[in-house]
């Protein structure tokens, strides 16, 4: 199949070694940031924050969060051009959702007379996933994975390598980036940059995916 989308997905892989001398341009980072902003989420909730680590100081702070575990990912903290911390709101509430509904109206997407319909009706999806303590982090974290998928395709289209990292220490990240997170939780991160091909054992290998007929049923 020769469709451009399939070409993107076939070229995408998980980088294992980055060239620390190569940096993503400001212009390309602007595209990546906008693709994050435009990511889909249930009821357009957008219960996330994306913290872009670009400076050497920020990278070093992230590097230090690997002191207890997942040291196999630690080199990416310094060597990747950038790292994005994907953070979700563990207690998304109606006050926060109101900001979304305000944006829906101000953008012209939602008629003003339907404001309360969306605020009260759509928020029911959040309430279905909220426990008695107000925790709905499992639901909001799921939304942040939609943004991750969107970003992976964006990077593939741009020819920029990436490494999704669930192998991070959420506790230490929460402590080190407490001020930036503002109560949000980061359970995974995305390193991005340009691979050091002569040392990246994962580059150029064929895709290993299950057969189409095993995973897709057409009725």
């Amino acid at each position: 199949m020769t469709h451009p989308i399939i070409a993107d997905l076939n070229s995408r892989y998980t980088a294992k070694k980055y060239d620390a001398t190569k940096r993503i341009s400001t212009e390309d980072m602007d595209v990546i940031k906008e693709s994050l902003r435009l990511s889909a989420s249930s009821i357009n909730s957008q219960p996330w924050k994306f913290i872009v680590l670009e400076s050497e100081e920020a990278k070093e702070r992230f590097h230090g969060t690997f002191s207890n575990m997942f040291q196999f990912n630690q080199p990416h903290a310094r060597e990747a051009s950038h790292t994005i911390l994907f953070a979700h709101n563990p207690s998304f509430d109606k006050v926060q959702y109101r900001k979304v509904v305000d944006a829906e109206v101000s953008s012209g997407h939602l008629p003003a007379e339907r404001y309360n319909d969306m605020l009260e009706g759509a928020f029911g999806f959040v309430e279905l996933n909220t426990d008695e303590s107000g925790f709905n982090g499992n639901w909001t974290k799921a939304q942040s994975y939609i943004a991750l998928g969107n970003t992976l395709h964006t990077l593939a289209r741009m020819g920029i390598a990436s490494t999704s990292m669930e192998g991070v220490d959420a506790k230490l990240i929460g402590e080190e980036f407490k001020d930036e997170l503002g109560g949000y939780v980061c359970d995974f991160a995305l390193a991005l940059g340009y691979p050091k091909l002569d040392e990246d054992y994962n580059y150029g290998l064929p895709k290993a995916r299950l057969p189409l007929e095993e995973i897709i049923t057409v009725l």
Side-chain angles (χ1 to χ4, degrees):
M1 189 178 295
T2 59
H3 194 283
I5 291 176
I6 302 304
D8 291 342
L9 298 178
N10 271 316
S11 67
R12 195 214 68 78
Y13 79 107
T14 299
K16 299 298 183 180
K17 183 69 175 179
Y18 286 92
D19 186 339
T21 68
K22 294 183 178 180
R23 301 280 289 178
I24 301 171
S25 70
T26 299
E27 294 76 17
D28 283 349
M29 283 306 303
D30 287 343
V31 173
I32 294 164
K33 292 172 188 175
E34 184 67 359
S35 75
L36 284 164
R37 191 181 76 88
L38 292 173
S39 295
S41 57
S42 178
I43 64 168
N44 196 25
S45 53
Q46 305 168 68
W48 48 44
K49 285 185 180 180
F50 308 108
I51 300 173
V52 179
L53 308 182
E54 180 176 82
S55 68
E56 294 307 312
E57 178 188 5
K59 290 181 179 183
E60 201 59 35
R61 290 171 63 192
F62 183 51
H63 188 272
T65 67
F66 290 93
S67 58
N68 294 332
M69 61 182 78
F70 305 120
Q71 283 84 10
F72 57 87
N73 276 328
Q74 190 172 37
H76 302 327
R78 288 177 175 164
E79 295 172 357
S81 174
H82 293 68
T83 295
I84 302 171
L85 305 183
F86 282 69
H88 61 278
N89 186 340
S91 301
F92 186 68
D93 60 28
K94 191 175 289 186
V95 172
Q96 291 149 341
Y97 187 54
R98 187 180 292 276
K99 295 179 181 179
V100 172
V101 184
D102 289 343
E104 289 272 352
V105 173
S106 63
S107 69
H109 186 265
L110 180 73
E113 60 270 21
R114 291 187 55 205
Y115 186 98
N116 285 330
D117 292 340
M118 184 169 183
L119 180 64
E120 301 299 331
F123 195 76
F125 285 96
V126 182
E127 293 172 330
L128 286 172
N129 292 278
T130 304
D131 67 17
E132 293 179 355
S133 71
F135 173 79
N136 46 40
N138 294 329
W139 183 84
T140 56
K141 182 179 178 180
Q143 308 313 311
S144 65
Y145 274 100
I146 299 173
L148 174 64
N150 184 49
T151 308
L152 291 177
H153 191 181
T154 298
L155 294 170
R157 171 56 59 97
M158 298 174 75
I160 296 172
S162 61
T163 308
S164 302
M165 298 183 291
E166 283 191 315
V168 296
D169 190 328
K171 182 176 183 295
L172 285 187
I173 289 175
E175 294 172 358
E176 178 61 41
F177 295 94
K178 179 179 179 180
D179 291 342
E180 293 86 354
L181 288 168
Y184 284 51
V185 176
C186 172
D187 283 330
F188 65 92
L190 180 68
L192 46 152
Y194 298 98
K196 199 168 187 179
L197 297 181
D198 59 342
E199 298 182 31
D200 191 341
Y201 66 84
N202 208 33
Y203 175 75
L205 297 177
K207 287 287 185 218
R209 299 293 190 269
L210 295 173
L212 198 71
E213 57 272 17
E214 284 194 25
I215 62 168
I216 295 177
T217 300
V218 179
L219 300 178

